Structure formats: structure tokens, C-alpha cells
């Protein structure tokens, strides 16, 4: 009879990833011990808090990892809770320094602040679809829902789970491979948030400082429409963030969107490009119905290029698509729900351009020194 080898058991457990922190449990100090008794393997796992909402996921993942180890006939998962000292050690390991990690000179995270001049242009839908597409490509992606008064990102991603708080560190929920934080996760029901400038700035600062996103490739900020408090706060807290302007083809929307992009000349930010949403919809007979007109996105790109003195590309035109709305209502963005649909194809093309854009290493520390 083959008996399980402890080294093989530990190797299998090293593949178990914490669903919130997205790192192996043994690396995080969560694997407290392994006992092999004949064909029975007992794994003692420490949860960050007693009310960990994903304890069932961790239990199932441990059992799944051990079921194919030769000789294992029974698995016992002993879930315990970290002591305050162990939690402190975890926080020190994950976040050795306070502050906003994405604003540090050595950060290689691409930060895109998705902005629009007016509401109702589908800015949040564009944000979540781009984030999910990049995550599906294997990138590490996060979203900060900075639209405090009009938050909608959790619903668009189907997130019902509240963030986990480990003392002064917040672990964001993960949906479709994307880490997300929103003020909507902290309010009851459809309660409005009636905050003024200083409170909005503090909320955004706390999201960027206290929420543990880990090492991200891309961070999206879903901004409120216009050029108010949050837009100014983003330029102060994340001066390296690039603006991604969303507009509809309508001339009136394009004029307002141009103002949202032009603010970068005052804040010193760059504009990554323009996305035109709700473009012409192709009908079954092949004709194109332009409900909101045409050409708005191109006009915004051309005017911003002239105003800013640098090329601002039109990254894509996303056609009006019922499926895009249905995917948002279902909490499954269309790039995942129906990747061959016209709107998904357009959004995937925009995501590909953002993924291939250079990080811009000028002035950044590479962590190396001459010998």
C-alpha cells in the first residue's frame, strides 16, 4: 500500500491560492502545519479573521489540491484563526510601507483614470469590460470605483461580497479575476452617499492606501463625470495616471468630453485615448442605425490632440448592443458573456491596445545599481 509522502503533500498545498490575497497560503503563513497518518492527511490552515467569508472556498481548494497526491485516502482540513501577532506579521509581509504604492517612482502599474464629461455614456460599463478582458489575458487587474455618488461597478461585476478587513488593511473582493473596491460595498441597500469635497478626497485616499491590491499590472479608476473634486484628487494622489476619455457619438456629449480631457493640461496628466461608446448598431438587414449620431469620438480625439499638443488616439468605437446592457445587469461583462458580439470585439480591441502600451520607464527606479 502506497503511503503519502509529506514532501509531496506540502508541494500540493503550495499550489493553493488564497482567494482574496491571490498568493499561495504557505507563502502567506496561513499553512500552520501538516500531519500525515497513514492515508489520512490533516492540513491546519489559519484564516485571517474568524468570519472569513471565503472559508468554504479555502477548504474546498485544499481538499482539491490533495486528492491527487498518491496514497492520500482521506483529507482533514482544520481551519483556525490567526493570532493578532500573526496578522501583524502578515500585514508587514504584504505592506512593509504605508502610502499609495501606485504613486511610487518604482511602480510599474499602468493606471488608467476612466473619465467622461457627462453621465450616462457607459463609462462604468467600458471600465469593467476592459478590466475583465485584461484579466482574462492573464494580467493582474484592479478597479477603484471612484464614482462615490454614482457607484455601479459592484453590480456590473455581480459582486455581493463585502471586503474583508484585517485590522487596518482591507482585502478587496475579486470578481472575474479583477480586484474591486467601491463605496457601494460599505452602504446598506441603495442608500445615497451625501459627501462633500474633503470627504470624497479622504475616501479615495483610503481606497488607495488601505486596500491591499497587491502587485497589479493595470489599475482602473472609474471616475465620476465632469472635472470636479475626484478628478482633482486623482491628479494629486496618482499624478502618473493616464486619462481614458469615454464619449458617445453625439456632438453635445463630445463637446463635454473634450473638457474632461482638456483638464489634463492643468493637472500634468496624459490622455491615453478616447473610446466612443454607443456607436452605430448594425441591424439584421445590414443597415447601421446611428441612434446618437456619428463622429463624436473622432472629434474629441482630434480636438484633444490639438489642445494638448500630442497625439490622442481614438482607441475604438463600441457599437450600441443590447447584450452589453444585459451583461451588466447579469453581472457578467459582455467580453466574457458573449466575446464574439460586435461590442465585445470592439472592447477587446481597445483592451489589446492598452495592454501593449509601453509602461514608460523614464525617471523610474529599476532597483539595480552598477557594480
Amino acid at each position: 500500500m502506497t503511503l503519502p509522502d509529506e514532501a509531496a503533500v506540502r508541494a500540493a498545498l503550495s499550489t493553493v491560492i488564497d482567494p482574496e490575497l491571490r498568493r499561495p497560503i504557505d507563502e502567506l503563513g496561513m499553512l500552520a502545519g501538516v500531519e500525515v497518518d497513514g492515508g489520512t492527511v490533516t492540513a491546519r490552515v489559519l484564516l485571517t479573521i474568524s468570519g472569513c467569508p471565503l472559508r468554504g472556498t479555502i477548504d474546498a481548494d485544499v481538499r482539491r489540491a490533495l486528492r491527487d497526491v498518491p496514497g492520500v485516502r482521506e483529507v482533514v482540513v482544520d481551519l483556525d484563526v490567526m493570532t493578532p501577532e500573526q496578522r501583524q506579521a502578515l500585514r508587514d509581509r504584504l505592506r512593509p510601507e504605508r502610502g499609495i504604492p501606485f504613486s511610487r517612482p518604482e511602480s510599474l502599474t499602468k493606471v488608467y483614470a476612466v473619465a467622461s464629461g457627462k453621465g450616462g455614456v457607459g463609462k462604468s460599463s467600458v471600465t469593467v469590460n476592459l478590466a475583465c478582458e485584461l484579466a482574462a489575458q492573464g494580467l493582474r487587474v484592479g478597479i477603484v470605483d471612484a464614482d462615490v455618488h454614482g457607484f455601479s461597478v459592484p453590480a456590473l461585476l455581480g459582486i455581493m461580497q463585502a471586503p474583508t478587513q484585517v485590522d487596518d488593511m482591507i482585502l478587496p473582493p475579486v470578481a472575474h479575476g479583477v480586484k474591486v473596491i467601491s463605496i457601494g460595498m460599505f452602504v446598506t441597500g441603495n442608500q445615497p452617499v451625501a459627501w462633500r469635497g474633503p470627504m470624497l478626497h479622504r475616501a479615495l485616499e483610503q481606497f488607495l492606501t488601505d486596500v491591499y491590491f497587491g502587485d497589479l499590472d493595470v489599475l482602473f479608476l472609474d471616475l465620476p463625470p465632469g472635472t470636479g473634486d475626484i478628478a482633482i484628487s486623482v491628479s494629486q494622489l496618482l499624478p502618473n495616471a493616464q486619462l481614458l476619455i469615454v464619449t458617445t457619438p453625439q456632438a453635445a456629449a463630445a463637446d463635454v468630453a473634450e473638457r474632461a480631457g482638456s483638464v489634463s493640461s492643468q493637472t500634468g496628466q496624459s490622455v491615453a485615448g478616447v473610446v466612443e461608446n454607443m456607436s452605430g448598431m448594425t441591424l439584421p438587414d445590414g443597415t447601421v442605425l446611428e441612434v446618437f449620431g456619428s463622429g463624436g469620438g473622432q472629434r474629441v480625439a482630434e480636438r484633444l490632440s490639438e489642445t494638448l499638443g500630442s497625439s490622442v488616439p481614438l482607441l475604438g468605437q463600441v457599437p450600441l448592443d443590447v447584450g452589453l446592457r444585459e451583461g451588466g445587469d447579469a453581472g457578467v461583462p459582455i467580453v466574457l458573456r458573449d466575446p464574439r458580439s460586435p461590442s465585445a470585439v470592439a472592447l477587446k480591441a481597445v483592451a489589446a491596445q492598452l495592454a501593449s502600451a509601453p509602461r514608460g520607464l523614464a525617471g523610474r527606479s529599476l532597483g539595480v545599481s552598477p557594480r
Side-chain angles (χ1 to χ4, degrees), residues 2 7 27-28 38 43 45 87 96 106 147 155 191 240 318 323 325 344 358:
T2 301
E27 181 183 315
L28 296 170
V45 179
R87 279 196 297 272
E106 67 272 15
D147 192 351
Q191 177 185 351
N240 59 321
V318 183
R325 189 269 305 166

Side-chain angles (χ1 to χ4, degrees), residues 32 35 55 103 114 125 174 178 194 208 211 240 307 313 323 337 341 349 370:
E35 181 181 335
R55 60 188 299 134
S103 64
V114 187
S125 294
V174 181
V178 179
L208 295 171
V211 177
N240 59 321
T307 300
R337 182 185 176 102
S341 66

Side-chain angles (χ1 to χ4, degrees), residues 221-247:
L221 289 96
D222 185 26
L223 304 187
T227 56
D229 294 310
I230 289 291
I232 296 171
S233 293
V234 168
S235 69
Q236 295 171 341
L237 298 171
L238 293 169
N240 59 321
Q242 299 182 71
L243 296 179
L244 188 62
I245 307 301
V246 179
T247 183

Side-chain angles (χ1 to χ4, degrees), residues 30-312:
M30 297 175 64
L31 184 60
V34 173
E35 181 181 335
V36 179
D37 183 9
T40 300
V41 174
T42 301
R44 182 167 177 260
V45 179
L46 300 178
L47 304 175
T48 52
I49 59 173
S50 58
C52 178
L54 296 178
R55 60 188 299 134
T57 301
I58 295 173
D59 183 292
D61 288 349
V62 169
R63 294 179 186 278
R64 189 178 301 111
L66 293 176
R67 69 185 178 190
D68 294 329
V69 175
V72 174
R73 296 194 305 275
E74 182 182 0
V75 175
V76 178
V77 182
D78 180 11
L79 296 178
D80 206 342
V81 182
M82 286 184 171
T83 65
E85 293 75 21
Q86 289 169 326
R87 279 196 297 272
Q88 181 63 53
L90 174 64
R91 293 198 307 275
D92 293 343
R93 184 183 298 115
L94 296 175
R95 196 177 58 190
E97 300 179 36
R98 293 285 293 174
I100 300 174
F102 310 111
S103 64
R104 293 178 183 143
E106 67 272 15
S107 173
L108 294 178
T109 302
K110 296 178 185 177
V111 182
Y112 294 109
V114 187
S116 67
K118 61 192 297 293
V121 300
K123 170 178 51 60
S124 298
S125 294
V126 169
T127 301
V128 300
N129 275 280
L130 293 178
C132 286
E133 172 59 21
L134 291 176
Q137 293 179 15
L139 275 66
R140 295 162 296 187
V141 185
I143 297 178
V144 172
D145 187 357
D147 192 351
V148 174
H149 294 138
F151 54 85
S152 58
V153 170
L156 292 172
L157 289 169
I159 296 176
M160 305 297 291
Q161 172 195 342
T164 299
Q165 186 153 357
V166 181
D167 297 332
D168 61 348
M169 183 173 66
I170 300 172
L171 307 183
V174 181
H176 311 298
V178 179
K179 296 182 177 181
V180 184
I181 195 68
S182 170
I183 197 66
M185 300 171 180
F186 299 92
V187 299
T188 303
N190 205 26
Q191 177 185 351
V193 179
W195 289 353
R196 301 183 69 176
M199 295 181 68
L200 295 173
H201 180 92
R202 175 57 186 146
L204 179 61
E205 185 176 32
Q206 186 172 7
F207 282 167
L208 295 171
T209 303
D210 295 347
V211 177
Y212 177 75
F213 283 101
D215 187 14
L216 296 181
D217 294 304
V218 182
L219 174 67
F220 288 97
L221 289 96
D222 185 26
L223 304 187
T227 56
D229 294 310
I230 289 291
I232 296 171
S233 293
V234 168
S235 69
Q236 295 171 341
L237 298 171
L238 293 169
N240 59 321
Q242 299 182 71
L243 296 179
L244 188 62
I245 307 301
V246 179
T247 183
T248 62
Q250 186 178 4
D255 289 341
V256 182
E258 181 187 349
R259 294 199 289 271
S262 297
V263 75
S264 64
S265 63
Q266 302 175 40
T267 61
Q269 296 167 296
S270 62
V271 179
V274 177
V275 178
E276 181 184 278
N277 193 29
M278 305 181 192
S279 300
M281 176 173 58
T282 302
L283 301 178
D285 63 0
T287 60
V288 178
L289 178 62
E290 296 177 332
V291 178
F292 295 102
S294 64
Q298 187 61 49
R299 285 195 297 273
V300 173
E302 291 173 352
R303 291 175 185 173
L304 286 177
S305 296
E306 182 179 351
T307 300
L308 302 176
S310 60
S311 177
V312 176

